[in-house]
Amino acid sequence: MHWKKKMTYVFLGVMVCPISVLAQVYDLNPVVVTANREIMSEMETPASVQVIEKDKIESIGARNIYEAMRMVPGVYFNGWGAKGIDFGDHNTTLSVRGVDQGASVLLNGIPVAANNFTQLSSIDISSVERIEVVKGAAAVLYGPETMTGVINIITRNGNSSKPEVMLEGGWGSRGNKDFRINYSDNRFQVGYTKEYIGAYAPTTDVYYGWYTDTDVYGHRKSSTKENIYVSAKLSKAVSFLYNRFMSKPIWGETASDEAERLTHSYDDIYRVRGDHWLVMYDQNGIKGKAFYSDRTSNLYNRLWDGTGSSSDEDYKTKRYGFDLQKNWYMDERHRFIAGMMAEKEKYTELVGSHKGDRTQYALYGQYTVQVNDRYKNIFGLRYQYSSDQVKTYNEWIPQWQQLYSLSSDEVIYTNIGKSFILPRIYDYFYTVAAVDLKPECGWNYELGYKK
């Protein structure tokens, strides 16, 4: 199915080298930056954490974020298309610890969701340096949609000691193939990926199709997915990331009766495209991020007799804002983090008349006190202001974490915090009692042990 030249060398090495080289080496205490917005080892972090490094991603042959995330217990993604391609408004389902859409996906610490949904196919696996998965309440530092945790995708950023070029291709049956090219040096990384997904039918058993009013089975036609990304270190303190994604999946239903296929079979042609822009500053304990993202989804429904129309669910979203954070290390036992964020989110139907927007502001702080060599407490608090076309929300979000070291390689911890999930902007358009919508709020109580 998939071929790489470098894989040949791996196979030969296994055949001729002593058996001892097959032993796997694991980093059991990796550095984590997501859980508490500062550099900590995993054993110092009072939360359930798993880090997936790029070497591990490459070793398992993951072709997209979905496949890489299969390694993480308690995390479940459901993408609607082959190779993780999303189907327009058929958004990715993310479940962490059994709660649907209860966690947020971040790109370098900035949320990438639109309408509370994340399309992971927008981020190419070739650009990923590591993925940090933090389970448990995280709303103090990252805001809404973090009731069960955050998944932070951290990209590569010109970290090669010398210029490198990577060219990779793969092909398989039914027209499946992909192509990747990447250049990196000590300041820049540029990459382009294009994937082809071949036609396949039937993709389902025969069932009754409500749209065509006859028995049908699902089919898939040739589809494509593209990613372009550029990252750069503009200076010692400033870095930049741009990511562009485009996809064109085609799925539909075929009438099981050949006599009805011309007028009772159809194709749904989805075109999804979007951008992520991110500028980051990090120096002298000050971290700042300014971001912009958009996503446009178009659906054209075409019967096999040639007639068709655009969908009234075509939409465009925009999300932009900034996050500013300051770290104070007062002494060896006391640390404090304070920050603020502001963002704007917009939703516009391209065929219909519905429009909506949401403005959010937040102030957050986190105080860490190392009581003694074994025991520490972390106290956090966030004030969140959100205003949309219907309502204004004010939320106070507290959190308390403790960590106690039993020995050099054993700890127990607690993580207690409040979290909330705001209504999606388009929920106001399709909910009868829209005026009664309010945030979902809940508490997370966690007691953990690490060894």
Side-chain angles (χ1 to χ4, degrees), residues 53 78 124 202 220-221 225 245 249 254 262 310 318 330 338 348 363 366 394 412 448:
E53 301 282 359
N78 177 34
D124 184 63
R220 183 182 77 210
K221 293 191 174 179
K225 170 178 174 282
F245 60 94
T254 304
L262 187 63
S310 296
K318 294 181 180 179
M330 292 171 277
T348 305
L363 298 173
Q366 179 177 270
N394 293 274
I412 56 174

Side-chain angles (χ1 to χ4, degrees), residues 45-94:
T45 305
S48 175
V49 178
Q50 185 159 352
V51 180
I52 309 173
E53 301 282 359
K54 66 177 182 179
D55 293 342
K56 187 63 175 179
I57 294 173
E58 293 173 354
S59 69
I60 66 172
R63 297 171 297 172
N64 49 60
I65 304 293
Y66 296 97
E67 294 183 359
M69 293 304 301
R70 289 175 185 169
M71 302 171 56
V72 184
V75 176
Y76 171 75
F77 284 99
N78 177 34
W80 287 84
K83 296 187 178 181
I85 291 182
D86 294 290
F87 281 2
D89 58 333
H90 293 23
N91 292 282
T92 299
T93 298
L94 166 61

Side-chain angles (χ1 to χ4, degrees), residues 165-183:
V165 177
M166 185 274 289
L167 182 64
E168 178 183 320
W171 62 91
S173 59
R174 300 192 180 97
N176 288 283
K177 54 187 176 181
D178 57 73
F179 170 80
R180 285 184 171 88
I181 184 170
N182 175 268
Y183 168 83

